[in-house]
Amino acid sequence: MKFFQMKFNKYYLAAFSCFFIWGFFGLALRPLHDYASLDILFYRVFLASVLLLLINILLRKNELKNDYGIFQSLSFAQKRKTVLLTVLGGFLLIFNWYLFMYAVNHVSLQSASFAYLICPIITTILAFFILNEKLSKWQWLAVFLCVISCSILSYGHTKELLYSLIIAISFALYLISQRKNNQFDRFVVLTIQLVIASLVILPFFPIYSGDIPTANLFYELIMVIVVLFTIIPLFLNLYALKGMSSSAVGILMYTNPLINFFLAIFYFHEEINLAQIVSYSLILMSILIFNQNSLDK
C-alpha cells in the first residue's frame, strides 16, 4: 500500500509540475510579440520534433526496441487502436495549438485564456461519459464550483466563449485519448505525435511563414519554449496519465490560469476586478476539494 501511494504521488507531482511550468509560458512569449504567432508555432513544432528524434535515436535505442517489440506482440485490433490513438493525439495537439494562436491573434486574448478555465470541466465530464471515470460527491462539488467560476468570468462574452469551447474540447479529447494509449514509453509516444504534428503543418510553412528570423534572441527563446514549455511539460502530462484519471489531470490544469492570474497582479501589475477575485478563489477552492484524497496521502 505504501508503494502504491508513493507511485500515485509521483504521477500527481508530474501532472502538477506540467501545468505549473505552463503557467509561466507567457514570460517566454512576451519578448517575441513582434513575431507572428504562426511562425512561433512552426519553429516550436519543427525544432521540438528534430530534438526528440535525435534524443531517441542517439540515447534511447533500448526504449525504441522495447516499444517495437511490444507493438509487434499486439493483436491486429490492438495495433490499429494504438496507431489510431497516437495519430489522433498528434492531430489534436497541433489543432489545439493552432486554434489557441488564432484566438490570440484574431479573436481575443481573453478567449484563449478562458479556454484553460473551461477545459478541466469539459475533460472531467467527457471522461465520466467516455472512460466511465467515477467521481465522488466532493469531486462533483469541485466541478460545480468550477462551472460557477467560469460562468462569472464568461458573462457578456458569448463570442469568446464559443472559441474557448472549441479550444478546450480539442485539448480535453487529447487528454482522454492518451489515457487509453499508455502501454508504451511516453517519450517515444510524444516524439511520434510531434513528428505527426510537423507533417501536418509542413505543407503550410512555405505559404504562411514570414521571413526567416535573423535575431539570436528569437532562436534562444524558441529553444527555451521547445525544451522548457513543450517537451518537458508534454512528457510530464503523458506520464501522469499512466497513473491518474483524465479528470484528475484535467482539474490540475487550473494551476495554469491561477499562475497567470498571480503573474498579472504581481509581475505585470495589471488591474483586477471583484469578479476575477471571486472566480479565481472558487477555482483554488475547487482544486483543493477535488484533490483532497491525493493531498492527504
Side-chain angles (χ1 to χ4, degrees):
M1 183 66 178
K2 184 177 180 180
F3 171 78
F4 173 79
Q5 291 178 353
M6 179 180 68
K7 188 176 180 181
F8 182 85
N9 286 334
K10 185 166 61 175
Y11 293 128
Y12 180 88
L13 179 61
F16 175 80
S17 300
C18 161
F19 298 115
F20 181 82
I21 293 172
W22 267 333
F24 294 92
F25 190 21
L27 296 179
L29 280 178
R30 282 292 181 102
L32 296 175
H33 67 276
D34 291 331
Y35 296 91
S37 297
L38 203 52
D39 280 341
I40 297 173
L41 177 63
F42 283 140
Y43 286 95
R44 177 189 186 187
V45 175
F46 292 152
L47 289 177
S49 300
V50 171
L51 184 59
L52 284 172
L53 282 172
L54 289 175
I55 291 174
N56 277 288
I57 293 173
L58 298 177
L59 304 176
R60 310 186 80 250
K61 294 180 181 179
N62 291 335
E63 286 77 6
L64 290 174
K65 291 179 180 178
N66 183 59
D67 277 359
Y68 180 75
I70 295 175
F71 183 77
Q72 289 297 102
S73 67
L74 299 177
S75 65
F76 176 78
Q78 291 174 320
K79 288 181 180 177
R80 184 174 59 183
K81 177 183 176 181
T82 299
V83 172
L84 177 63
L85 289 175
T86 303
V87 173
L88 178 63
F91 272 94
L92 287 173
L93 263 185
I94 198 63
F95 182 64
N96 176 263
W97 289 353
Y98 174 76
L99 285 178
F100 182 84
M101 293 290 184
Y102 180 85
V104 170
N105 281 346
H106 302 288
V107 184
S108 71
L109 181 60
Q110 184 175 10
S111 65
S113 301
F114 190 65
Y116 285 106
L117 293 177
I118 60 177
C119 187
I121 301 172
I122 294 175
T123 302
T124 301
I125 294 174
L126 289 179
F128 176 78
F129 288 105
I130 297 176
L131 300 179
N132 198 30
E133 292 183 356
K134 303 300 182 182
L135 299 176
S136 67
K137 293 181 180 179
W138 284 105
Q139 288 175 320
W140 277 117
L141 173 62
V143 173
F144 180 68
L145 290 176
C146 293
V147 172
I148 294 176
S149 172
C150 292
S151 299
I152 294 173
L153 290 175
S154 66
Y155 182 76
H157 301 280
T158 306
K159 180 182 178 181
E160 286 82 355
L161 178 60
L162 178 61
Y163 280 95
S164 299
L165 281 171
I166 299 174
I167 297 171
I169 289 173
S170 64
F171 194 74
L173 289 174
Y174 172 76
L175 289 178
I176 291 173
S177 65
Q178 299 316 293
R179 181 72 177 92
K180 285 288 189 178
N181 189 27
N182 60 7
Q183 67 267 49
F184 298 97
D185 181 87
R186 309 317 290 170
F187 206 82
V188 174
V189 172
L190 176 59
T191 302
I192 296 173
Q193 289 178 341
L194 282 179
V195 169
I196 292 171
S198 295
L199 294 175
V200 170
I201 65 174
L202 184 60
F204 302 98
F205 180 73
I207 303 172
Y208 296 103
S209 64
D211 296 333
I212 297 177
T214 57
N216 291 333
L217 179 63
F218 175 84
Y219 295 101
E220 291 170 359
L221 288 174
I222 286 295
M223 283 305 299
V224 172
I225 291 172
V226 165
V227 176
L228 185 59
F229 295 108
T230 302
I231 294 177
I232 292 176
L234 279 177
F235 171 74
L236 291 172
N237 192 10
L238 289 174
Y239 179 79
L241 287 168
K242 289 178 68 71
M244 293 179 64
S245 65
S246 301
S247 56
V249 174
I251 288 295
L252 281 176
M253 196 183 303
Y254 278 125
T255 307
N256 187 329
L258 277 174
I259 292 175
N260 289 334
F261 180 67
F262 290 127
L263 282 176
I265 298 174
F266 299 109
Y267 186 81
F268 296 112
H269 304 292
E270 296 179 0
E271 294 184 1
I272 60 171
N273 54 44
L274 180 59
Q276 289 175 311
I277 295 175
V278 173
S279 297
Y280 283 97
S281 298
L282 289 174
I283 288 173
L284 180 59
M285 188 184 304
S286 69
I287 293 175
L288 296 175
I289 293 174
F290 193 96
N291 295 284
Q292 60 173 335
N293 292 331
S294 302
L295 296 173
D296 289 340
K297 293 181 178 180

